[in-house]
């Protein structure tokens, strides 16, 4: 097995880093060459993907090291502009790796397409008719997507929900449950619900209004957990048990306070979104679902839990809706996305979902550990200084020197960076 523990990776320059990943078997020659050339989407292709294209918007693509999930090593591609996220993911993954790695699972892979039915004269009779003809509706939906059915997916069932009256008239929502296999399947689901809407109208006697997938994907969940011996949390200035207790106390605030929960969860999504973007997934859909899922008990709460088990270990868990795809959509068009998938080398969308929740949990662990020890700014400042140096006009060769000087001076400002670049007055 190729190891994701690559000591010194962060000290290499970009060219050496790409070479090292190729030499260690993470990248093919073609992928390494594509990265060496910048790995960006071609502007002419961008013009075919969205309307009124005028360019290509770039983001740094980093790799987080040290991840082990379900006894397999992963290098994690992360597309993100925020300094410290890649480093802190790698840091937390190294701790969890020493504790045996992340355990991850997934439950279900069913997406929902909705048909809103208005002006239904007899809602109970309509529900009965829709349920009675469920197989016909499913067959009709599947007849449009034989390729998906051949891959073992397709529409699986229906549900009928009475969602209240509107203007005095009953409203029904027909849910079509679809297994999209390794695709996120938004287009498939939308085609299916549009196709079955006329049949749903005649069965219910109502009028179909919205016909669209639901991004609330609580039938497509992934879970990650880790169990960490407290001594693995020891830092130069803090004992492991002290850090563990701090993490548990900090996590409690996120469980009962909305202001903290949003920030806590934002940290989780730092990791999740960066992988979603790198792998060409619809991160807006998963952001929306994740925050709704964090409110499923009627109040917005923490996405993660951190507790002590009976042996005195720290146990962290995260469960999120994770309807990712590894085929379809724009996956495959973007060279960066192709490299990201090559690095991850997952066999299924479920495997990708499991890896992503592990990254979210790692990111949360890293943030909490920093917050309850030396605070977030120390690590941030060193990395922020690099952005400031770049903003001041430092060349890639000058960045590290100027950043170090900025941190040493305690004045991390563009003005100071310009002075340093100009040299002694
Ligand atoms: C910063 O992008 C994310 C954090 O604020 C998350 C947290 O506070 O848990 C550090």
């Amino acid at each position: 097995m190729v190891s994701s523990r690559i000591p010194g990776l962060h000290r290499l320059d970009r060219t050496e880093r790409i070479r090292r990943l190729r030499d260690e078997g993470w990248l093919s020659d073609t992928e390494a060459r594509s990265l060496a050339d910048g790995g960006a989407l071609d502007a002419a292709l961008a013009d075919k993907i969205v309307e009124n294209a005028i360019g290509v918007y770039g983001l740094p693509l980093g790799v987080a090291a040290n991840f082990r999930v379900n006894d397999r090593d992963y290098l994690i591609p992360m597309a993100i502009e925020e300094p410290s996220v890649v480093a802190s993911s790698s840091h937390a993954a190294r701790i969890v790796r020493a504790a045996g790695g992340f355990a991850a699972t997934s439950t279900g892979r069913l997406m929902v397409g909705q048909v809103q039915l208005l002006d239904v004269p007899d809602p109970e009779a309509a529900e009965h008719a829709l349920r009675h003809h469920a197989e016909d509706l499913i067959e009709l939906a599947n007849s449009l997507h034989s390729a998906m059915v051949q891959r073992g997916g397709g529409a699986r069932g229906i549900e009928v929900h009475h969602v209240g009256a509107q203007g005095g008239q009953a409203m029904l929502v027909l849910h079509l449950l679809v297994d999209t296999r390794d695709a996120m399947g938004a287009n498939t689901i939308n085609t299916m619900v549009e196709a079955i809407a006329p049949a749903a109208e005649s069965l219910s006697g109502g009028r179909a209004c919205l016909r669209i997938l639901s991004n609330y994907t609580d039938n497509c969940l992934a879970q990650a957990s880790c169990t960490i011996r407290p001594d693995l949390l020891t830092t130069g200035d803090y004992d492991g048990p002290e850090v563990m207790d701090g993490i548990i106390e900090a996590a409690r605030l996120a469980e009962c306070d909305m202001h903290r929960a949003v920030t806590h969860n934002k940290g989780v999504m730092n990791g999740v979104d960066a992988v979603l973007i790198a792998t060409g997934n619809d991160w807006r859909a998963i952001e929306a679902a994740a925050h709704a899922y964090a409110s499923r008990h009627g109040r917005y709460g923490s996405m993660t839990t951190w507790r002590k088990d009976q042996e005195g270990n720290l146990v962290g868990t995260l469960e999120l809706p994770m309807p990712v795809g590894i085929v379809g959509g724009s996956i495959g068009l973007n060279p960066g996305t192709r490299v990201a998938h090559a690095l991850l080398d997952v066999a299924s969308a479920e495997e990708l979902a499991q890896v992503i929740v592990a990254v979210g949990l790692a990111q949360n662990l890293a943030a909490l550990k920093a917050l309850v020890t030396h605070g977030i700014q120390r690590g941030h400042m060193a990395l922020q200084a690099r952005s400031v140096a770049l903003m001041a006009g430092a060349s890639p060769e000058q960045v590290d020197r100027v950043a170090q000087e900025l941190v040493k001076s305690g004045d991390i400002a563009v003005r100071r960076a310009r002075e340093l670049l100009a040299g002694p007055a």
Side-chain angles (χ1 to χ4, degrees):
M1 179 171 69
V2 196
S3 174
S4 64
R5 174 93 194 94
I6 309 180
L9 186 67
H10 63 287
R11 277 191 292 273
L12 302 177
D13 70 25
R14 197 176 70 85
T15 312
E16 291 166 346
R17 199 174 290 132
I18 294 170
R19 196 175 308 134
R20 177 91 181 261
L21 296 186
R22 189 202 57 195
D23 293 349
E24 300 218 356
W26 288 99
L27 294 172
S28 68
D29 285 344
T30 316
E31 289 144 8
R33 253 195 317 277
S34 152
L35 281 172
D37 292 345
L41 180 68
D42 180 65
L45 187 55
D47 197 23
K48 303 286 174 244
I49 298 177
V50 299
E51 309 72 40
N52 298 346
I54 53 170
V56 173
Y57 179 86
L59 274 180
L61 177 67
V63 285
N66 306 326
F67 272 83
R68 179 167 289 174
V69 183
N70 293 340
D71 296 325
R72 212 202 113 178
D73 275 28
Y74 295 89
L75 270 192
I76 310 293
M78 302 180 88
I80 188 160
E81 85 298 345
E82 183 173 330
S84 95
V85 171
V86 177
S88 54
S89 281
S90 305
H91 172 71
R94 190 170 167 192
I95 295 172
V96 176
R97 180 186 188 81
F102 292 93
T105 50
S106 42
T107 39
R109 183 81 197 153
L110 286 182
M111 317 291 174
V112 170
Q114 296 189 297
V115 181
Q116 179 190 20
L117 293 165
L118 297 163
D119 306 334
V120 178
D122 181 345
E124 299 305 327
E127 176 176 351
H128 181 77
L130 288 164
R131 286 190 189 285
H132 189 69
H133 287 89
E135 285 310 316
D136 300 333
L137 293 168
I138 292 167
E139 205 176 302
L140 175 59
N142 283 336
S143 67
L144 303 162
H145 281 280
S146 51
M148 178 167 282
V149 176
Q150 271 160 20
R151 288 202 306 273
R156 291 274 185 265
I158 65 153
E159 289 172 355
V160 182
H161 297 272
H162 297 251
V163 288
Q166 194 194 48
Q169 285 161 343
M171 181 163 58
L172 289 186
V173 183
L174 172 68
H175 282 189
L176 182 71
L177 309 180
V178 185
D179 178 350
T180 57
R181 304 308 283 180
D182 284 328
M184 197 217 150
N187 282 327
T188 306
I189 297 170
N190 291 338
T191 314
M192 285 180 169
V193 286
E194 286 187 12
I196 65 168
E201 280 181 322
S202 57
L203 287 167
S204 66
R207 170 173 62 85
C209 182
L210 292 183
R211 297 145 302 156
I212 184 77
L213 91 166
S214 167
N215 286 122
Y216 189 53
T217 42
D218 60 342
N219 278 321
C220 183
L221 299 171
Q223 304 82 12
S225 65
C226 57
T227 302
I228 306 169
R229 278 193 336 266
D231 62 282
L232 294 171
L233 297 165
T234 302
T235 67
D237 303 326
Y238 299 84
D239 284 343
E242 196 185 347
V243 178
M244 173 171 75
D245 291 344
I247 290 174
I248 293 169
E249 283 164 1
R252 270 186 35 227
L253 181 59
E255 286 174 23
C256 49
D257 176 75
M258 172 87 109
H259 278 89
R260 176 57 203 156
V262 173
T263 318
H264 178 100
N265 293 344
K266 187 271 183 187
V268 172
M269 298 312 284
N270 273 346
V272 169
D273 285 342
V275 190
L276 292 174
I277 294 170
T279 53
N281 275 289
D282 183 347
W283 52 272
R284 287 87 55 208
I286 292 171
E287 271 281 340
H291 294 286
Y293 196 66
S295 314
R296 67 193 178 284
H297 301 304
R299 229 178 102 258
Y300 187 80
S302 170
M303 290 176 180
T304 60
T305 64
W306 292 99
R307 304 267 188 276
K308 200 187 288 196
D309 72 7
Q310 283 182 341
E311 285 78 48
N313 299 311
L314 178 66
V315 180
T317 67
L318 170 64
E319 176 174 76
L320 286 177
M322 199 49 66
V324 285
I326 56 168
V327 293
S330 60
I331 298 169
L333 294 179
N334 189 320
T337 303
R338 283 203 295 272
V339 167
H341 282 276
L343 277 170
L344 283 163
D345 193 26
V346 293
S348 65
E350 287 203 49
E351 186 183 344
L352 178 59
Q354 292 170 11
V355 171
I356 293 176
V357 281
V359 178
L361 188 59
Q363 196 54 44
N364 185 231
L365 171 63
L368 294 180
K369 178 167 175 274
L371 286 166
V372 302
T373 54
H374 48 72
I376 209 78
Q377 285 310 83
R378 196 169 81 182
H380 265 206
M381 278 305 140
L383 293 161
Q384 183 62 20
R386 293 159 63 115
S387 303
V388 168
L390 284 169
M391 276 190 285
S395 67
E397 296 74 40
Q398 293 170 313
V399 168
D400 286 337
R401 179 185 62 78
V402 175
Q404 275 164 19
E405 294 283 329
L406 287 172
V407 172
K408 211 156 55 182
S409 73
D411 181 13
I412 302 176
V414 175
R415 168 197 43 77
R416 178 75 191 125
R418 288 209 181 102
E419 286 166 12
L420 290 165
L421 284 165

